[in-house]
Amino acid sequence: MKSKLNLDPKVIDSARSCAGRIAESMQIFIDRHTTVSTERTVLRLLGVDGVDDVDTPLPNVVVDAIKDGGGLPRGAAYWIGNAMIQTGLDPQAIAEKMAAGELDIMKLTMASKEDAEAKILPIVNKALEKIKAQTAKREDYLATIGEGRKPYLYVIVATGNIYEDVVQAQAAARQGADIIAVIRTTAQSLLDYVPYGPTTEGFGGTYATQENFRLMRKALDEVGEEVGRYIRLCNYSSGLCMPEIAAMGAIERLDVMLNDALYGILFRDINMQRTLIDQYFSRVIIGYCGTIFNSGEDNYLTTDDAYEAAHTVLASQFINEQFAVLANIKEEQMGLGHAFEMDPDLENGFLYELAQAIMAREIFPKAPLKYMPPTKYMTGNIFKGHIQDALFNMIAVWSGQSLQLLGMLTEAIHTPHLQDRMLSIENAKYIFNNARAIGEEVEYKQDGIMQKRAQFVLAEAEKLLHEIEAEGLFSTIEKGKFGGVKRPKDGGKGLAGVCVKDDSYFNPFIPFMLGGEK
Amino acid sequence: MGSHTTHSACETTTVDLTNVKPYGDTMNDGMMQLSFTLPVPYGEEANEAAKILARKMGLDEPAVVFSKDMVGFTYFVLYGKCQHTVDYSTIKVTKVEVDVMDRLECEKYITENIKRPVVIVGACSGTDAHTVGIDAIMNMKGFHEHFGLERYHGIEAVNMGSQVPNEVLIAKAIEVNADAILVSQIVTQKDVHIANLTNLAELMEAEGIRDKVILICGGPRISHELAQELGYDAGFGAHTYAEDVASFILTEIVKRKMV
């Protein structure tokens, strides 16, 4: 299809292949390392769950013991496989005995890597079957009760209490929402463990726990059957427990997960080495279970300027796309992010924003792009805010966005009230319906404001990608090229949880999840 | 009541500041617009419930101009005439009292009156991850064409970013010999900001540096009055720019003879 913005395919190809080389060079680093959270994820997939008598999750109990015993470079799968051989117990029973202080798996006779691998294979297969059954159930729902039209209406709930979230989520679905995201409690991203069980206390959101995922999934399936539309569930595979939450999400059938190492580095000060390694396994899981991942480029525009920094968003989208390719994620699962954050006082800001949104759609034609609403310039004037959200909705339907995180007129005041969500859904439905085919009808003036804007942003992104390739991704982040935020390679949180793999390391899930390619 | 007297609302067009009422299109008509949700099913009974509630709130002649079924909940847009009045003439509000200087005036003020670099450390402390406020005040770029403190000659601005523990913030302030600490709090759910701000002030007392540093908090739900209650020197709410904060700090430095 010819570009309506007259974008040069050669520039797009050059940017994309440059991003591919950046991702591949990072992958060499990733493949040499593992992390505590990656290993806890292996344990969770092997069925280890629950907490000890001081509420430490059992995956942490086991991985901490392995780490303290100097065994992390070999990976949790070896130690569990070996413990199964030596004790005859299953992984959960091993973890429970370790928590009770009755078993030290680091002091057992050591079997060969091959024997340990063979021993856990049946459990690995069982875990994969369980995930596949959830993926099949999603497909079955989509085939029978169907889904909403794109752009999907995506709303958040954030009461702090999972039971209250369920009430709000079901109400939102009845009003027309297609995706419910349960916002996490403030600072969960910095916990190096995943809390356990249903939770009713949180600040600005609700803890991501496996039980909370299960409760919300059940509620959305119920209301989905009632309204005749599959309701997708979204949570956050991000922070220090990135891959663990991806695994929990795969098991509990989450449909969308926010997942972006760059976001964690820049905005949560998570160590870049740690989170890029974590991101890899999380994306392999996401690719395997058919979840859409959302990247966090939209956030750059809350700290940097939407007009001046637009090319950093595009450059990051290219890199996120290539990281996803390496994790075997299909383009249809790549929810690359961007945001409507132009200063409302900027003359022709709407045209620039429209040009950038159409540019993203043309460059990533099959990706379910995630489009984020205005936040930075929301003022508390709810009436103007409702108009800002309307302009955002207009661009979304015009440029064919896929996942529309609905703006709330009360943004900058409070987490959404029931009526805020209703009004924003009404706003989006009105505009999407009323302007449905506008994107197909309209073309743009040759060398006009919009064409020139998109061409300029693409050219700048391609230039930045070549700079990053020359400089290396770590160094680029250290210099503050994304979001205007600088982070040191050895700084931030979580570096202590990183180690170099030894020669006998194995992660039994990655080869199967990649389909035997790697 | 109101609807039976055809001329009472029209008797005056000038405001009586001792008896102020909301203004719709006529002085003292008391008109107010509300929107809210009741957890009851949509219907005539729901509308009636909304009107009864409005009367209890002191609104005469409540009119539900719109209501919407939200399945088990009903949303209303309602108008009514407020019966209450306020005496505006006796109101006193605690505000930050400072003559605001623009960036260039601030820079000149430093050169002429302080004659050394002014060091300001800022952060979103505690669990708060929202840096939009502190960034608007501190970062080079600022907000809405108002440059941030980093841009000011004579000011060394250290923005520590989000989720900084109070202890780390204080340690940094001591390390760089800060004149002022700015702490931004955006998340206020369940009053988490109150606990955190109190903790910071207490830790500074404990460290013995409270008197040596100008302590300022800011955020959309922060008022100067609240800040003072919590033991801060100043509090800045929405619509604050870097020059407002800088002007306060600089004049305070001179006032306290911290030069």
Side-chain angles (χ1 to χ4, degrees):
Chain A
M1 199 182 89
K2 183 163 164 32
S3 166
K4 286 189 180 181
L5 295 169
N6 210 6
L7 297 175
D8 183 348
K10 285 200 288 291
V11 183
I12 297 174
D13 290 346
S14 162
R16 184 166 271 130
S17 55
C18 186
R21 292 189 296 274
I22 292 165
E24 278 162 22
S25 88
M26 187 53 64
Q27 192 64 34
I28 295 169
F29 170 84
I30 292 167
D31 285 340
R32 283 205 308 266
H33 293 82
T34 188
T35 69
V36 285
S37 36
T38 296
E39 298 309 317
R40 294 196 300 257
T41 308
V42 170
L43 291 171
R44 285 186 182 276
L45 290 170
L46 291 173
V48 175
D49 198 11
V51 289
D52 71 6
D53 54 1
V54 292
D55 283 341
T56 307
L58 294 186
N60 288 64
V61 170
V62 176
V63 167
D64 289 351
I66 293 171
K67 185 165 183 266
D68 292 346
L72 200 60
R74 187 146 302 181
Y78 169 79
W79 297 106
I80 288 293
N82 184 59
M84 288 170 70
I85 293 169
Q86 312 301 344
T87 65
L89 298 169
D90 70 12
Q92 177 67 15
I94 291 168
E96 285 171 7
K97 276 199 177 297
M98 290 174 73
E102 294 163 10
L103 176 65
D104 183 348
I105 62 170
M106 306 308 292
K107 293 205 171 128
L108 300 171
T109 312
M110 285 172 67
S112 70
K113 172 194 169 182
E114 288 70 24
D115 287 348
E117 207 166 1
K119 186 70 186 177
I120 60 168
L121 185 62
I123 300 178
V124 170
N125 283 328
K126 211 171 86 188
L128 296 174
E129 289 304 323
K130 198 168 168 184
I131 294 171
K132 269 194 224 153
Q134 284 287 33
T135 310
K137 186 150 187 196
R138 179 192 300 121
E139 278 160 15
D140 182 52
Y141 267 131
L142 291 172
T144 53
I145 63 173
E147 59 178 335
R149 285 175 83 169
K150 286 180 185 170
Y152 298 139
L153 305 183
Y154 174 164
V155 300
I156 63 171
V157 295
T159 69
N161 177 337
I162 188 63
Y163 301 105
E164 201 68 49
D165 285 344
V166 159
V167 172
Q168 301 241 345
Q170 290 191 327
R174 290 186 187 107
Q175 287 155 15
D178 300 306
I179 303 177
I180 305 290
V182 182
I183 297 291
R184 289 199 299 185
T185 184
T186 299
Q188 185 174 356
S189 57
L190 304 182
L191 300 179
D192 213 340
Y193 64 92
V194 182
Y196 181 76
T199 67
T200 56
E201 285 286 327
F203 296 114
T206 308
Y207 282 101
T209 72
Q210 190 155 350
E211 181 61 12
N212 287 350
F213 286 3
R214 200 188 60 77
L215 289 167
M216 187 57 86
R217 175 76 276 160
K218 184 163 168 281
L220 296 186
D221 284 349
E222 274 170 24
V223 75
E225 286 170 22
E226 175 193 318
V227 300
R229 217 170 62 243
Y230 183 62
I231 309 298
R232 288 181 165 84
L233 174 58
C234 172
N235 211 291
Y236 298 73
S237 168
S238 62
L240 288 170
C241 295
M242 202 180 220
E244 286 183 270
I245 292 178
M248 288 159 43
I251 294 165
E252 302 301 339
R253 188 163 33 88
L254 267 64
D255 306 285
V256 182
M257 280 191 267
L258 282 87
N259 178 266
D260 190 349
L262 284 170
Y263 172 76
I265 297 164
L266 300 174
F267 298 98
R268 291 293 179 268
D269 196 15
I270 294 173
N271 176 264
M272 59 177 85
Q273 304 177 47
R274 163 74 178 263
T275 195
L276 280 161
I277 300 161
D278 281 347
Q279 176 177 271
Y280 176 61
F281 191 23
S282 67
R283 287 209 177 164
V284 170
I285 295 168
I286 284 167
Y288 180 75
C289 70
T291 294
I292 292 170
F293 81 85
N294 282 170
S295 58
E297 286 86 359
D298 43 285
N299 292 283
Y300 304 169
L301 304 180
T302 62
T303 53
D304 213 334
D305 183 78
Y307 182 78
E308 289 166 18
H311 65 291
T312 67
V313 170
L314 179 57
S316 177
Q317 287 171 333
F318 274 119
I319 295 172
N320 259 316
E321 176 194 52
Q322 293 305 313
F323 274 131
V325 166
L326 292 174
N328 201 27
I329 297 182
K330 286 191 280 214
E331 194 179 342
E332 289 78 1
Q333 292 169 249
M334 296 181 189
L336 302 170
H338 60 142
F340 180 97
E341 291 284 16
M342 293 273 178
D343 186 337
D345 293 339
L346 179 66
E347 186 170 86
N348 287 321
F350 184 85
L351 298 187
Y352 299 132
E353 182 63 33
L354 181 60
Q356 289 170 205
I358 294 169
M359 173 191 74
R361 180 36 83 216
E362 287 191 356
I363 293 174
F364 307 102
K366 288 189 226 153
L369 297 174
K370 175 193 70 161
Y371 196 30
M372 298 292 279
T375 59
K376 188 177 180 178
Y377 292 100
M378 294 295 271
T379 57
N381 176 351
I382 57 175
F383 302 101
K384 182 173 179 187
H386 211 43
I387 298 172
Q388 289 167 271
D389 289 336
L391 293 183
F392 160 70
N393 288 330
M394 189 72 201
I395 288 184
V397 70
W398 195 327
S399 61
Q401 303 300 308
S402 309
L403 277 62
Q404 178 83 347
L405 186 90
L406 294 183
M408 295 289 149
L409 72 171
T410 53
E411 176 74 38
I413 304 174
H414 50 233
T415 51
H417 291 172
L418 198 67
Q419 68 214 26
D420 302 340
R421 226 176 270 117
M422 178 275 288
L423 290 166
S424 76
I425 291 171
E426 184 181 70
N427 179 336
K429 279 184 157 175
Y430 164 42
I431 291 168
F432 291 176
N433 183 59
N434 220 235
R436 183 66 72 182
I438 191 166
E440 294 150 41
E441 292 293 310
V442 178
E443 292 180 350
Y444 311 102
K445 189 170 146 188
Q446 178 84 25
D447 295 328
I449 293 172
M450 285 182 52
Q451 284 202 353
K452 279 191 171 155
R453 174 66 187 162
Q455 289 160 10
F456 173 77
V457 173
L458 173 61
E460 289 294 300
E462 193 232 10
K463 207 161 83 188
L464 175 60
L465 284 164
H466 281 94
E467 284 170 35
I468 296 169
E469 188 187 3
E471 177 111 24
L473 186 57
F474 285 146
S475 169
T476 302
I477 298 167
E478 289 188 311
K479 290 191 172 164
K481 294 257 172 80
F482 292 115
V485 181
K486 295 176 186 172
R487 297 295 186 198
K489 185 180 172 190
D490 293 323
K493 302 165 184 93
L495 181 59
V498 176
C499 79
V500 177
K501 296 174 187 171
D502 75 16
D503 293 340
S504 300
Y505 176 89
F506 66 93
N507 177 333
F509 291 99
I510 288 181
F512 286 113
M513 287 179 165
L514 289 177
E517 285 172 18
K518 205 172 162 104
Chain B
M1 297 295 284
S3 60
H4 302 294
T5 51
T6 52
H7 57 276
S8 65
C10 311
E11 281 169 356
T12 176
T13 54
T14 52
V15 62
D16 170 6
L17 290 178
T18 62
N19 281 297
V20 175
K21 267 188 166 189
Y23 184 106
D25 64 357
T26 308
M27 188 59 70
N28 293 332
D29 62 13
M31 283 306 281
M32 295 185 82
Q33 57 190 25
L34 279 72
S35 64
F36 58 92
T37 300
L38 290 177
V40 299
Y42 173 75
E44 289 304 317
E45 291 79 6
N47 289 355
E48 194 54 33
K51 288 194 278 186
I52 293 169
L53 182 67
R55 280 192 204 98
K56 287 188 176 178
M57 293 167 70
L59 299 178
D60 265 357
E61 300 173 47
V64 172
V65 298
F66 176 75
S67 63
K68 184 172 168 98
D69 186 357
M70 292 202 293
V71 191
F73 298 85
T74 306
Y75 172 68
F76 306 94
V77 177
L78 179 147
Y79 283 81
K81 297 179 172 181
C82 183
Q83 303 172 49
H84 304 298
T85 63
V86 293
D87 183 353
Y88 177 85
S89 63
T90 58
I91 290 173
K92 291 268 179 291
V93 175
T94 326
K95 280 184 281 199
V96 180
E97 298 290 348
V98 62
D99 294 325
V100 176
M101 302 176 277
D102 68 20
R103 177 172 59 95
L104 297 174
E105 288 165 348
C106 282
E107 291 171 354
K108 188 158 167 261
Y109 188 89
I110 295 171
T111 316
E112 289 174 0
N113 298 296
I114 302 178
K115 304 185 180 82
R116 63 167 177 84
V118 171
V119 183
I120 301 172
V121 177
C124 290
S125 83
T127 56
D128 203 332
H130 299 75
T131 62
V132 56
I134 197 76
D135 290 345
I137 301 298
M138 298 199 79
N139 286 5
M140 192 69 82
K141 199 177 298 271
F143 191 72
H144 259 160
E145 316 285 304
H146 295 255
F147 290 126
L149 298 176
E150 281 179 358
R151 176 82 63 149
Y152 286 55
H153 292 294
I155 291 182
E156 288 173 14
V158 183
N159 182 357
M160 298 179 70
S162 69
Q163 299 186 332
V164 178
N166 284 327
E167 292 81 357
V168 176
L169 174 57
I170 290 172
K172 182 58 125 182
I174 293 171
E175 177 199 326
V176 299
N177 200 14
D179 294 291
I181 291 180
L182 306 183
V183 55
S184 169
Q185 300 278 272
I186 306 278
V187 175
T188 54
Q189 205 176 29
K190 295 175 187 162
D191 282 338
V192 62
H193 63 305
I194 305 282
N196 185 55
L197 289 171
T198 306
N199 173 258
L200 176 64
E202 286 172 359
L203 284 172
M204 288 181 65
E205 289 284 356
E207 286 286 330
I209 62 160
R210 178 63 194 89
D211 297 338
K212 302 185 182 85
V213 180
I214 300 163
L215 182 58
I216 297 172
C217 56
R221 302 278 88 76
I222 302 279
S223 68
H224 185 52
E225 189 175 7
L226 172 69
Q228 293 207 311
E229 276 174 30
L230 298 176
Y232 284 63
D233 295 307
F236 291 93
H239 313 296
T240 297
Y241 295 112
E243 58 264 31
D244 301 311
V245 180
S247 301
F248 177 80
I249 293 172
L250 300 178
T251 44
E252 201 66 15
I253 287 175
V254 171
K255 207 189 291 175
R256 294 193 196 179
K257 304 195 166 53
M258 289 163 65
V259 292

